[in-house]
Every structure is written in C-alpha cells, then in structure tokens.
Amino acid sequence: MIADVHGNAPALTAVLEEIEREQPDLIVSCGDLTWGPLPEETYELARRLNARFVRGNADRAVLENRAETEREQWMQEHHTGDMRDFLATFEEQVVVELDGLGPVRFCHGSPRSDEECVTPETPEERVREFSAGIDERVVVTAHIHVQFDREVAGIRSVNAGSVGLPYEGRQGAYWALLGPDVEHRRTEYDVHATVERYRASGQPDVEQVVEMMLTPPKPREVIDYGEERVFAG
C-alpha cells in the first residue's frame, strides 16, 4: 500500500522497485498522488500499475480546478487532460479482502471525509463516529503522512505513511505491506537529487516543500495539529 506520493516521482520509483521484489497481488494507492513538483513524471509511473486508486483531497482539488493560489494555478497548468481523466477514475474508498486481515477499507482521510485527520491518538469517540455504518474492522487511512497501527474502539486503525512527503522526523519513502499482518516499510532514495529537481520544476513556493523534505516534521507536531483541527485540507 502506498499513499501521499505528492508528485515525488523519485521516491515512488524507489518504492515500486521494492514492491516489485515483494510481488504483492495488488497495490492500493490511498490518494494525493500527483499534487507536487513532478506531477507528469509521477503520473507516467502510476498509470502503468496494477493498482486500485483512492481519491485524496489533493486529487479532488485538481478535478475541481481549484486555482486560488499561485501554487494551485501551477498545479492546474501541469495536469493534462489525460492526467485529469486518470484522476477521475479514482474511487472514493476501496474495500479489499486480505489474508489474515479480512475485509479492509482504504480511504484517504477517513470513511466520512477525505480531509479528516486520523492520528495514532484520535479519541475512541471520534473513531466510533467516523466508522459508524461500515462493516470493516480494519480501516487504512492516509492524509497525515505518519505511520501507525493501533487498536481502538473495535477498529484496527492503520496508516502506511507518505511516500513523497513523510512527517516522520526522518528522510525516506514510507509505505506498508498488508496481509497477513501490517508491515511498515521505509525505502531510501536520493533526497538531495530530488530537491534539485524540485527547485528546477518552477513550482511556486517550492522551498516550503524542500524544507520539509530535508528536515521532515516530527510525528508529534503533526498529531497535535491534526487533533486540534480534526478536518484539514
């Protein structure tokens, strides 16, 4: 399972090489695929995959033609018709039967919103709220770019982390193997070479992304932010 690639084609390349060695039956991508400095290159990698794609809030922003800021305008300009058609095929949520885990629901934010921040400290009451009405007892989310695996309110709540922009306090590309259990992975790649490609991309405000690439935020910061806001785009 991969998530939150955010237009980081080199990180995705490194992860896909490792996935190829593992030979999984299926890849599930949990959203926010091309929204980042290298959208075209990321699309070219993703469109060839045997995968099911979940739509993230950033993927939705492309399809909604959101262009209120310079960065959003740049993103819109760097998504072709073919890329938009590809994003339009993404599913809101995906349910897959996995050996050892049973039926697993994959979503971006939570089962009720692609902007809900589900963290390793989300209170039991909120877990019950966002899982109301679903049958699956394993729920895989993304959005906050932090790996975790916890049992709460009768739900196994899992996040594979972010391939392209992790908030783990450590560089790398983060993802997970699911079935028969949950195995979090971290793949190394050339972050500094990627930063140079980012700077050459022309994306406005790219230095903000570069700073997070070189010095990734720590999970504590992200957890506090997510639990304070609950819903964040």
Side-chain angles (χ1 to χ4, degrees):
M1 181 221 158
I2 60 174
D4 293 294
V5 176
H6 281 285
N8 188 337
L12 180 57
T13 297
V15 169
L16 291 179
E17 288 173 356
E18 194 164 337
I19 289 175
E20 178 66 22
R21 292 193 289 271
E22 297 290 346
Q23 291 291 301
D25 294 331
L26 176 70
I27 297 172
V28 177
S29 171
C30 264
D32 288 7
L33 180 67
T34 57
W35 186 280
L38 304 173
E40 296 96 337
E41 297 92 327
T42 303
Y43 160 71
E44 288 297 330
L45 291 168
R47 71 184 181 90
R48 299 183 177 91
L49 296 178
N50 172 28
R52 293 185 69 179
F53 293 90
V54 172
R55 184 180 65 244
N57 61 301
D59 309 312
R60 177 168 53 82
V62 173
L63 297 174
E64 292 172 349
N65 290 310
R66 193 177 303 168
E68 297 176 0
T69 67
E70 284 189 48
R71 181 181 293 182
E72 289 174 344
Q73 292 170 10
W74 187 92
M75 291 296 171
Q76 296 299 343
E77 292 167 359
H78 285 78
H79 279 80
T80 65
D82 286 345
M83 293 168 69
R84 292 173 190 277
D85 289 345
F86 178 61
L87 295 183
T89 67
F90 290 10
E91 302 171 79
E92 184 177 351
Q93 298 176 33
V94 167
V95 176
V96 179
E97 184 82 25
L98 296 179
D99 289 343
L101 295 174
V104 177
R105 180 172 293 265
F106 296 85
C107 43
H108 183 68
S110 78
R112 65 178 175 180
S113 168
D114 63 14
E115 293 189 345
E116 183 162 8
C117 300
V118 179
T119 83
E121 296 182 11
T122 295
E124 182 172 332
E125 179 181 358
R126 183 151 67 89
V127 175
R128 292 188 188 280
E129 289 174 359
F130 74 62
S131 61
I134 67 169
D135 296 327
E136 298 78 28
R137 297 297 88 189
V138 182
V139 178
V140 179
T141 58
H143 194 46
I144 69 160
H145 301 206
V146 174
Q147 288 183 336
F148 65 83
D149 178 9
R150 69 186 292 230
E151 297 273 356
V152 56
I155 294 290
R156 187 169 185 179
S157 179
V158 177
N159 193 310
S162 170
V163 169
L165 194 62
Y167 301 157
E168 306 280 358
R170 183 185 182 195
Q171 295 177 0
Y174 292 75
W175 55 289
L177 284 173
L178 274 64
D181 204 346
V182 175
E183 182 182 344
H184 283 128
R185 293 290 189 94
R186 173 185 169 273
T187 300
E188 293 189 355
Y189 69 102
D190 193 336
V191 173
H192 291 277
T194 302
V195 162
E196 292 310 307
R197 291 179 65 181
Y198 276 21
R199 286 174 168 152
S201 70
Q203 180 191 298
D205 302 324
V206 75
E207 288 301 325
Q208 295 178 7
V209 181
V210 165
E211 182 179 353
M212 289 190 289
M213 292 275 291
L214 295 176
T215 309
K218 296 180 179 179
R220 180 76 267 153
E221 303 170 54
V222 181
I223 293 167
D224 290 345
Y225 178 92
E227 291 303 324
E228 178 181 352
R229 287 162 181 78
V230 180
F231 297 92

